[in-house]
Amino acid sequence: MTAHPEAPARSTPGVARGRSPLPPWLNRDLRLLVAGRGLRSISQSYLAVIVPLYLAHMGYSAVRIGVFFTFGAVGSMALTAAVGVLSDRFGRKPLLVLLGLLTAMCGLVFVATQSFPVLLIAAAMGTIGRGGGAGSGGAFGPYAPAEQALIAEHAGNRHRTNAFGIVSVVGVLSAALGSLLATTPTLLHRVFGMSDLTAERGLFLLTAVLGTAMAMVVLPVSEAKRPVHKTGTRRRLTTRTKHVLVRFLVTNATNGLAVGMLGPILVYWFHVRYGATSGELGTLFFIANIASAPSNLASARVARRLGAVRAIVTARLTSVVLLAGMAVMPSFLWAAVFFLLRTQANTLSNPIRQSFLMGVVDEADRSTAAGLSNLPLQAFSSVGPTVAGQIMQVAWVSLPLELAAVLQGVNAALYFIFFRNIVPPEEQSSAS
């Protein structure tokens, strides 16, 4: 039986009442979900660095690498949509457990074979190499619809944005650890003379271990029972959910191609433009993730001060300016500085966007809304790596970044137009 979302956490043995360093609303279920996010963020973070370099070390061109990530994006899109719909119907926890085991299996595939077609299938099924960009903290991909709905269920409206902020902080700090792990192939190569490919396979083996751990840590999480449906019937989305979902579909479509032209291609861009190694990129992503923690912690405070929509739009426009500047920097050092500043702006808005969606749709539709709202983003982002690879090879290597900045500027404008008059429950209560 699930405790009421607003109920305080149970007392911890051995800790005096009132002295716990954790906020009272951070109950056992939320702590388990936080642990799952941390494990996932570790693996996604080092894989985001290692997979593009692993493919480059096998001799694949920018176009071939773009195709690889396009295929993976299509698999991620299909899984995300399926998880969203199935979670609201059959339960969110079982899907999180299944996805953890799927990630473990696909990590083993990367250890066992170099066959490009087999790796394509594994990348699509396990979303290997996706969702681990600096500052993302494991917040995206097929896990998101089920996880976001469970977080909202156990946090309640009052603490929902705070909960997403805490989860994101743990995510980016764990991603920082993952970024450090991404430097190990370079160290093994320099110290022991191990080949890059052999050293990188060790991290795919670690992915199998972490995927299994992700599945196990979610098992004790409690979950409210889903509504029982008669055979052959399907519960329809509420009018409120449909109204919000249509707007998210249009808004996310404008952002999809931009995300696709960044993501894993951004790692490859640093490698081609400045000759950055896995050690340098791992260090950069480590710093970016550590520096993102304060932004995530401040997200709830900023949302209360500006309102969720204005906070999101302001952060997005700031990141657009910084991305456009990063593309023309003359050295790796200056590009890294702009990259770090842009990461702060992006991470500030992530918990707010996730919480906003969970607050303005019907509770029973949360997983479906989270899954379907990102379909256009993932559909267009699946094309992005191939487009970016072609542009980098036949035109200017930094042109994909400038195009992504323009598209994300359009996205910010649409977000304000569509959502400025939609108010989440916590802002309604504060206004009354």
Side-chain angles (χ1 to χ4, degrees):
M1 184 174 179
T2 306
H4 191 277
E6 304 290 356
R10 300 165 217 163
S11 318
T12 303
V15 178
R17 188 172 293 180
R19 293 186 180 180
S20 172
L22 300 176
W25 51 264
L26 192 61
N27 53 55
R28 185 206 66 159
D29 294 300
L30 285 174
R31 292 196 297 270
L32 289 171
L33 291 169
V34 167
R37 168 71 71 84
L39 292 169
R40 181 166 78 255
S41 188
I42 291 172
S43 65
Q44 287 187 347
S45 180
Y46 65 69
L47 288 173
V49 175
I50 290 301
V51 172
L53 298 179
Y54 183 67
L55 297 173
H57 291 152
M58 286 195 289
Y60 294 116
S61 66
V63 172
R64 198 79 182 270
I65 292 173
V67 170
F68 180 92
F69 284 108
T70 291
F71 200 85
V74 171
S76 177
M77 176 180 64
L79 278 175
T80 301
V83 169
V85 174
L86 294 175
S87 291
D88 281 338
R89 186 173 178 85
F90 299 110
R92 289 136 186 181
K93 182 175 74 172
L95 271 296
L96 285 178
V97 173
L98 179 62
L99 287 171
L101 296 177
L102 193 58
T103 296
M105 181 188 72
C106 293
L108 290 176
V109 170
F110 270 74
V111 174
T113 183
Q114 293 187 46
S115 168
F116 190 73
V118 175
L119 294 180
L120 278 179
I121 295 171
M125 292 178 61
T127 59
I128 300 294
R130 291 185 57 83
S136 65
F140 306 103
Y143 292 85
E147 183 188 68
Q148 288 177 19
L150 280 174
I151 292 170
E153 175 185 326
H154 289 291
N157 288 330
R158 182 179 177 186
H159 301 294
R160 192 181 61 250
T161 304
N162 295 90
F164 278 104
I166 291 291
V167 172
S168 296
V169 167
V170 172
V172 295
L173 293 178
S174 300
L177 174 58
S179 299
L180 283 182
L181 290 172
T183 68
T184 56
T186 298
L187 293 174
L188 291 172
H189 175 71
R190 290 176 179 174
V191 176
F192 299 105
M194 188 179 294
S195 72
D196 291 320
L197 290 176
T198 300
E200 287 158 358
R201 286 192 197 104
L203 290 178
F204 293 120
L205 183 60
L206 178 61
T207 302
V209 175
L210 292 176
T212 303
M214 285 188 289
M216 298 301 294
V217 79
V218 176
L219 279 175
V221 173
S222 59
E223 180 179 5
K225 291 184 177 180
R226 306 266 67 80
V228 178
H229 304 278
K230 295 179 180 180
T231 304
T233 66
R234 179 173 61 87
R235 193 184 72 79
R236 297 180 181 274
L237 297 175
T238 64
T239 301
R240 181 176 68 169
T241 298
K242 290 178 182 177
H243 176 71
V244 172
L245 188 55
V246 168
R247 296 179 181 219
F248 266 99
L249 290 172
V250 176
T251 305
N252 285 340
T254 63
N255 195 36
L257 190 58
V259 171
M261 287 194 288
L262 299 173
I265 292 298
L266 192 58
V267 171
Y268 187 72
W269 175 79
F270 274 117
H271 179 63
V272 172
R273 177 80 190 274
Y274 304 108
T277 65
S278 63
E280 291 170 328
L281 290 170
T283 302
L284 175 61
F285 276 50
F286 168 76
I287 297 171
N289 282 304
I290 288 291
S292 297
S295 295
N296 282 296
L297 283 175
S299 59
R301 190 181 314 116
V302 173
R304 284 193 296 268
R305 178 169 297 183
L306 299 179
V309 174
R310 289 183 183 275
I312 292 165
V313 172
T314 300
R316 174 53 56 86
L317 290 177
T318 302
S319 73
V320 164
V321 173
L322 292 168
L323 177 61
M326 184 178 79
V328 295
M329 288 298 103
S331 68
F332 176 71
L333 176 61
W334 277 108
V337 170
F338 273 69
F339 173 75
L340 292 172
L341 293 173
R342 177 180 179 269
T343 301
Q344 308 318 300
N346 272 345
T347 54
L348 176 67
S349 68
N350 286 344
I352 306 174
R353 286 189 290 110
Q354 294 162 16
S355 177
F356 178 76
L357 176 61
M358 294 296 97
V360 297
V361 299
D362 190 88
E363 289 185 14
D365 297 331
R366 281 171 169 167
S367 289
T368 301
L372 295 183
S373 66
N374 281 319
L375 271 184
L377 186 148
Q378 296 201 42
F380 283 94
S381 69
S382 68
V383 180
T386 299
V387 173
Q390 292 280 1
I391 292 173
M392 291 173 73
Q393 192 156 305
V394 303
W396 179 38
V397 71
S398 295
L399 185 56
L401 277 67
E402 299 288 9
L403 293 175
V406 172
L407 289 167
Q408 292 192 325
V410 173
N411 173 261
L414 287 177
Y415 209 103
F416 180 75
I417 292 169
F418 284 159
F419 299 110
R420 69 185 187 278
N421 294 323
I422 297 179
V423 183
E426 61 273 18
E427 292 181 24
Q428 294 173 9
S429 60
S430 63
S432 59

